[in-house]
Structures are given as C-alpha cells and as structure tokens.
Amino acid sequence: MNESMLAAAYPFWGKLSGEERERILAGCTLAAYGKGEHIHRSDMGCKGAILVLSGLLRVYIVSDEGREVTLFRIHEGENCVLSASCLLDSIQFDLLIEAAENTQAAVIPAGVLHPIMEDNPYVGLYMYKQAAERFSDVMWMMQQILFMGADRRVAIFLWDEMVRRNQPVLHMTHDEIARNIGSAREVVSKVLKYLSEEGAVALQRGRVEIVEKEKLRKHL
C-alpha cells in the first residue's frame, strides 16, 4: 500500500509512531468489490476502516418491511469508519454497506486499528469525529425524507449525480434511484415521467439523461 495515499487520507498519520505506521502498512489490504456486492452487515463481522480509491459505496438501513433507506454514500477519496463500528462503543445499530458501483478500496482491518486506537488518542478522536460527521449526513437524509416532496428529492439526486459524474447521462434504474433517496419505485417513476413531460429529462430503460438543466434546476 502506498504510504503517501494513506497519509493524505488520514489526518492522524503524522501523529503515529514509526511502529504504528508499519503495522498499518503491513495490515492494510487492497480490495475490489463488484456493483451490488455487500461489504458490511451485522453477520459479516467488523470490517475495519475503508478508503475508497475508485467507485462508490452506499450505506443504508432496511426496515422490517424490507424497505431500504440510503443514509449516505462514500465517494472516491473518502473513507468510512462505520464499517469499523465494533471499535466505536456508541454505535449500536445495524448498518449495511454495498458497492453502488465497481469499487476499489484500501481496508485497514479492525484487528490492526484496535490496539493503535487504544494507545494513540489521535486515532480514536479521528474515528469518532468521522462517525459524527457521517451522522450529520444521516440527519440531512432524514430531513429530506420527512420534509421534502418526492419531486424535489429526485431532482436533487439527479443533479448531484450529474455533477459527480460530470456528464448528463445516468445509467440507473428507477429502483436504484428509489433506494438512494428512500422512496418507492412507483413514486420515482411518476416523478421521472413528470420531469420527462416537462422536457427536463429523457428516459430510456435503465437510463436517465438530463437534457435541460435549467428545467431540472427549478425543482431543486
């Protein structure tokens, strides 16, 4: 594993001893996940800290009725410490993490991180700070679900995806969009049909193209 990559991703790197750095470098592994592959769930044990090198991860929960609600997504260059929730005493509920796209990641196993967290307060502080920031993302998503109409949530999602991918064509199904915004597929289909009739988007099977940015923008 490239040390400079870990140093850039983890602010605590400069606070580690030489031995601690060597332990992380020796234990860190590269992993490849296919789109839709589960990376973390309650029956899979504690993964560790995951740094996304390319691709996209989706963190979500599932209701008793089987409805999925996406809490946040982890983009290239970002890391996820909630996959090491066994090391964070205050994290007590089940999260699921899957690859939303084909993803390459660097994983620091929980078994490597735990003793370093015990000895180095900077590592533990970073882990809890990252967890707190992610829960801020969770609160934003809950506000969207509770207080925003479906049309605005779909429009925001399409706009953010267009910006992230730097292209107007999104190869996503209505069901994928619904799972990402915590809605039902039927609702998303109705919103997309409405946006299509307005001329904001063009629809094909498994494909949404933003054709008029300004028409989409007015729904944000």
Side-chain angles (χ1 to χ4, degrees):
M1 184 64 200
N2 190 318
E3 181 175 357
S4 62
M5 189 177 297
L6 292 177
Y10 295 106
F12 60 71
W13 194 260
K15 302 294 185 180
L16 297 175
S17 67
E19 181 187 355
E20 288 169 337
R21 292 180 190 176
E22 288 301 320
R23 283 154 61 188
I24 290 178
L25 286 169
C28 185
T29 59
L30 296 176
Y33 306 108
K35 181 178 179 179
E37 181 177 347
H38 277 102
I39 297 168
H40 172 83
R41 60 175 184 258
S42 58
D43 62 345
M44 293 177 69
C46 194
K47 177 71 69 175
I50 300 175
L51 170 64
V52 176
L53 304 177
S54 65
L56 181 70
L57 302 182
R58 181 173 75 101
V59 181
Y60 65 103
I61 55 176
V62 180
S63 71
D64 291 339
E65 296 77 27
R67 178 183 172 187
E68 296 181 7
V69 176
T70 298
L71 301 177
F72 55 87
R73 298 185 298 167
I74 306 164
H75 301 85
E76 180 177 333
E78 296 180 344
N79 56 72
C80 181
V81 302
L82 296 182
S83 50
S85 57
C86 60
L87 305 182
L88 304 173
D89 297 335
S90 59
I91 309 299
Q92 298 294 332
F93 63 90
D94 290 336
L95 296 170
L96 294 92
I97 305 175
E98 71 169 14
E101 300 173 355
N102 293 334
T103 299
Q104 300 281 334
V107 181
I108 305 176
V112 174
L113 271 177
H114 185 257
I116 295 176
M117 282 180 64
E118 292 289 306
D119 296 335
N120 191 319
Y122 291 102
V123 180
L125 179 63
Y126 171 80
M127 296 283 283
Y128 280 103
K129 182 180 178 182
Q130 283 293 102
E133 289 178 358
R134 287 303 182 185
F135 281 116
S136 177
D137 295 336
V138 172
M139 291 304 298
W140 164 242
M141 177 56 72
M142 292 300 104
Q143 284 181 322
Q144 282 192 312
I145 292 173
L146 292 172
F147 304 121
M148 285 186 188
D151 57 340
R152 188 179 177 195
R153 285 157 55 203
V154 170
I156 289 173
F157 177 79
L158 295 178
W159 187 272
D160 288 347
E161 281 296 289
M162 177 184 66
V163 172
R164 183 180 73 83
R165 298 166 187 251
N166 195 30
Q167 63 166 318
V169 178
L170 312 178
H171 294 282
M172 302 185 77
T173 65
H174 295 190
D175 186 60
E176 286 179 286
I177 295 171
R179 284 188 282 118
N180 273 286
I181 69 169
S183 186
R185 181 188 59 78
E186 295 79 8
V187 173
V188 169
S189 294
K190 288 179 181 178
V191 172
L192 289 173
K193 182 181 178 182
Y194 168 71
L195 293 174
S196 175
E197 291 171 348
E198 277 208 332
V201 303
L203 305 177
Q204 293 182 22
R205 186 177 181 85
R207 184 178 187 269
V208 180
E209 180 180 0
I210 292 107
V211 293
E212 288 289 346
K213 293 181 182 179
E214 289 307 313
K215 290 183 178 179
L216 180 64
R217 189 198 297 270
K218 74 178 186 179
H219 293 280
L220 300 180

